[in-house]
Amino acid sequence: MTSTEPATGPTPSAKDKVLDWLRAHLFGLAVANLIANIGIVVTGGVVRLTGSGLGCPTWPKCTEESYVAHEALGINGVIEFGNRLLTYVVAAIAITVVVAAWNRRGVIRNLAIIIAFGVPLQAVLGGFTVLSQLNPYVVALHLLASMAMVGLCVWLLDEIRSPGREAAPRNVRVAAVVTFVVGWLSLWLGTVVTGSGPHSGDLESRRTGLDPALVSHIHAYAVYALIAATLITLWLGRKNAYVRRVTVVLLVIELAQGLIGWVQYLTDLPVLLVGFHMLGAALISAGLARVVVSTRAHTA
């Protein structure tokens, strides 16, 4: 008799093992992608709220002579340069997600690639904000682009893992889109308020010249409209468990954000509350995207 041993395939290489691990952890990496993009919104807020927007006075170098911050720039230079360094962390995570999603043809891979390309584009836009001496309109565009990145990260997460479902009824889908549009109008008006207020990022940077009290009230009306649109979406989608759940989450974020907004307005914009308000804006962007995608058909 001859003994036979079970056939074994070739031993996976270190590269194959790494790729297998990345593919198996795509969802977790996509979560990290979302957190990183929300995080850089917050750290960008720290730069502005500490008056460090021109801590590195030029771009792509920190100064005309150096790519890195040095002692003469003080703490503001450290803060601004530190935020620039975080861009590389966000880029590394985004590239890792692309590698993990590369064998997932279609929307998942396309979204991962778009997000990865968005990071250097955002870095260039951030450079223009410095070169424009923190022009409030350029700063607003930079922030809104970050909000869009957050929304794309949420869409990617939904494509990777979310409950299987049929498309919601047409009236629910329309209500979700209206909520999304009103929400983005509110986010844009929030940047207008910021551009007219005191936290410019640097004592020498100019403001829009608009009346802060007036634009704050206009922004508040947009928030009221957003809450109303969210309530309508919640009512119309009440029979759809997933739509109902994600819309309730968005509503809670909106109410908390509205409360913070009123308190910071009545207390002359304390830095800590403004920082939380910026975090809330990023969470609202995420919530708006999640509500819209929740109304679409999805195969688990």
Side-chain angles (χ1 to χ4, degrees):
M1 292 181 61
T2 59
S3 61
T4 59
E5 296 183 1
T8 59
T11 302
S13 66
K15 175 184 174 182
D16 290 335
K17 289 180 180 179
V18 170
L19 288 175
D20 288 343
W21 187 91
L22 292 175
R23 291 164 184 160
H25 293 83
L26 174 58
F27 182 77
L29 292 169
V31 170
N33 215 11
L34 173 61
I35 293 172
N37 277 278
I38 292 175
I40 204 157
V41 171
V42 176
T43 59
V46 171
V47 171
R48 181 167 61 83
L49 294 170
T50 57
S52 304
L54 295 177
C56 284
T58 189
W59 186 88
K61 292 183 176 182
C62 184
T63 66
E64 293 294 342
E65 300 80 22
S66 174
Y67 280 96
V68 300
H70 49 74
E71 187 176 351
L73 297 174
I75 187 61
N76 289 341
V78 172
I79 293 172
E80 162 64 3
F81 183 69
N83 190 60
R84 293 187 184 190
L85 289 180
L86 285 176
T87 301
Y88 294 100
V89 176
V90 178
I93 295 172
I95 292 170
T96 303
V97 172
V98 171
V99 174
W102 193 253
N103 65 339
R104 304 283 292 270
R105 296 182 182 276
V107 176
I108 291 177
R109 184 169 72 178
N110 291 341
L111 281 172
I113 292 172
I114 291 169
I115 293 167
F117 273 105
V119 177
L121 290 176
Q122 266 291 75
V124 172
L125 190 52
F128 280 126
T129 66
V130 173
L131 296 176
S132 69
Q133 299 296 295
L134 305 184
N135 181 296
Y137 297 105
V138 181
V139 173
L141 180 60
H142 186 41
L143 177 60
L144 290 174
S146 289
M147 298 299 178
M149 292 279 285
V150 169
L152 289 172
C153 288
V154 170
W155 184 5
L156 176 60
L157 281 170
D158 185 81
E159 290 291 337
I160 296 171
R161 184 188 301 173
S162 67
R165 59 189 183 271
E166 296 180 353
R170 186 174 183 276
N171 61 343
V172 180
R173 299 199 306 273
V174 170
V177 170
V178 170
T179 300
F180 182 85
V181 172
V182 176
W184 266 85
L185 174 63
S186 176
L187 290 173
W188 171 69
L189 286 170
T191 68
V192 176
V193 174
T194 298
S196 65
H199 298 299
S200 62
D202 186 84
L203 293 177
E204 302 300 323
S205 62
R206 70 183 182 90
R207 304 280 73 204
T208 62
L210 299 173
D211 179 11
L214 176 61
V215 293
S216 293
H217 281 93
I218 294 173
H219 174 52
Y221 293 138
V223 172
Y224 299 150
L226 172 59
I227 292 173
T230 305
L231 287 170
I232 292 171
T233 303
L234 178 60
W235 173 254
L236 294 175
R238 65 191 183 280
K239 295 182 180 179
N240 185 309
Y242 187 57
V243 173
R244 185 176 65 245
R245 184 166 67 248
V246 301
T247 307
V248 166
V249 172
L250 173 61
L251 181 61
V252 171
I253 296 171
E254 289 169 356
L255 293 174
Q257 179 76 334
L259 177 61
I260 293 172
W262 270 113
V263 172
Q264 71 172 12
Y265 177 77
L266 296 172
T267 54
D268 295 326
L269 304 175
V271 168
L272 184 61
L273 279 183
V274 175
F276 276 114
H277 201 55
M278 292 193 68
L279 171 61
L283 294 178
I284 282 181
S285 178
L288 291 169
R290 194 178 182 205
V291 167
V292 170
V293 298
S294 74
T295 64
R296 299 168 63 250
H298 179 73
T299 302

